Amino acid sequence: MSPAPAPPRDVRAYLDELVRRTRAVCGPHLVSVLAVGSLALGDYRPGRSDVDVTVVVAPSLPRRALPDLAGALAHPALPCPAAGLELVVYPAGFAARPSGEAGYLMDLNTGPSLPERVSYDPEGSPAFWYVLDRSLAHQSGLPLFGRPVREVIAAPERPAVLAALRASVREHAAGEGHVADNRVLNGCRTVVYCRTGHWCAKRGAAEAIAASEEAFRPLVEDALRSFERPRESALPLPAARVRDFLDWVAGRVDEAAGAGGGHTGPR
């Protein structure tokens, strides 16, 4: 696998400052800081992508440090150059073992295009987002500080990933709060994972599905064109076709689960 391209200069400077502030708050309790999501997969798009970061800390981190960290990293105290920052903090013991649970200590969403949110209670959040993020992090996470990715983030077992993908498809099928093109492109990435056990960038997954699934090619190509635009000017996509596509994606996830998981994916 070729390394992901370096992020834009403003994002690199932002990540450097994020790491500096995280080290200042967490001190010797900080184990690792990793870039995940589109940055890790080499598909970061200015005006469209979030900055996704995973932080791993020692269980001895004082609880009071978490609100301090949220305050230090929240936009605009630390101005986010992307659509938003999605940052999750895990305790090292939890992150190092496979799990189908959310398991975080803190989940922070902040930035110019994201609703502000900070949570310290994983029981109140759907677990599937975090299972998928850790699966992708184990495969492709970019180290920004500390111990290597594979030493700190365990890959969730494939049945847990498939269950999380099924929940993700249900969430995207509901549509609320999701841009239509992103719903389609996430569906493409889901199918490629089911077929290969490997996470790839949304655009690469969409190109693969457009090439192999003639019936959905026009919808996927429209989603790719829309994805080139900022979120605020995304193109409308036919709702019925998006629903049909996501129904098809759900079927592919069910097939993969019914086949006993198929590919084991990278470890």
Side-chain angles (χ1 to χ4, degrees), residues 240-258:
R241 292 294 290 149
V242 173
R243 285 195 301 271
D244 289 346
F245 176 71
L246 292 174
D247 284 345
W248 175 79
V249 172
R252 306 294 73 73
V253 178
D254 290 343
E255 284 180 1

Side-chain angles (χ1 to χ4, degrees), residues 10-244:
D10 61 340
V11 176
R12 293 200 302 272
Y14 174 75
L15 291 172
D16 288 345
E17 180 61 14
L18 182 149
V19 169
R20 189 193 70 78
R21 294 187 183 202
T22 303
R23 293 180 69 182
V25 172
C26 297
H29 307 285
L30 183 61
V31 176
S32 292
V33 183
L34 315 166
V36 295
S38 59
L39 286 171
L41 293 172
D43 199 32
Y44 177 85
R45 294 197 55 76
R48 170 55 75 121
S49 300
D50 296 318
V51 169
D52 298 286
V53 175
T54 295
V55 175
V56 180
V57 297
S60 55
L61 178 77
R63 279 282 175 175
R64 66 181 180 274
L66 295 171
D68 290 346
L69 183 61
L73 302 182
H75 178 88
L78 176 59
C80 182
L85 168 68
E86 296 187 352
L87 179 138
V88 183
V89 180
Y90 292 107
F94 173 83
R97 65 178 188 270
S99 176
E101 300 176 358
Y104 61 79
L105 294 174
M106 185 179 82
D107 180 17
L108 172 67
N109 286 359
T110 187
S113 299
L114 280 186
E116 200 74 18
R117 174 183 182 270
V118 61
S119 169
Y120 307 104
D121 180 12
E123 298 302 318
S125 300
F128 68 88
W129 295 121
Y130 309 95
V131 174
L132 300 178
D133 282 350
R134 292 196 304 274
S135 178
L136 192 156
H138 178 85
Q139 174 194 289
S140 299
L142 296 177
L144 304 175
F145 170 83
R147 290 169 54 193
V149 174
R150 299 290 178 92
E151 291 184 12
V152 296
I153 302 288
E157 298 293 340
R158 184 167 167 88
V161 175
L162 292 173
L165 284 173
R166 191 65 177 86
S168 174
V169 174
R170 286 196 296 269
E171 168 82 10
H172 283 91
E176 185 175 350
H178 298 284
V179 180
D181 59 38
N182 200 45
R183 296 164 65 199
V184 172
L185 300 187
N186 266 318
C188 293
R189 187 162 65 181
T190 291
V191 173
V192 170
Y193 179 87
C194 289
R195 291 174 174 175
T196 68
H198 185 81
W199 295 109
C200 67
K202 291 176 184 176
R203 286 181 293 179
E207 289 164 1
I209 298 303
S212 66
E213 305 298 331
E214 185 175 355
F216 294 117
R217 187 176 303 152
L219 176 68
V220 172
E221 290 176 345
D222 285 346
L224 281 169
R225 279 190 287 273
S226 178
F227 193 62
E228 298 297 319
R229 304 162 67 100
R231 292 185 189 188
E232 294 76 12
S233 57
L235 301 173
L237 299 178
R241 292 294 290 149
V242 173
R243 285 195 301 271
D244 289 346

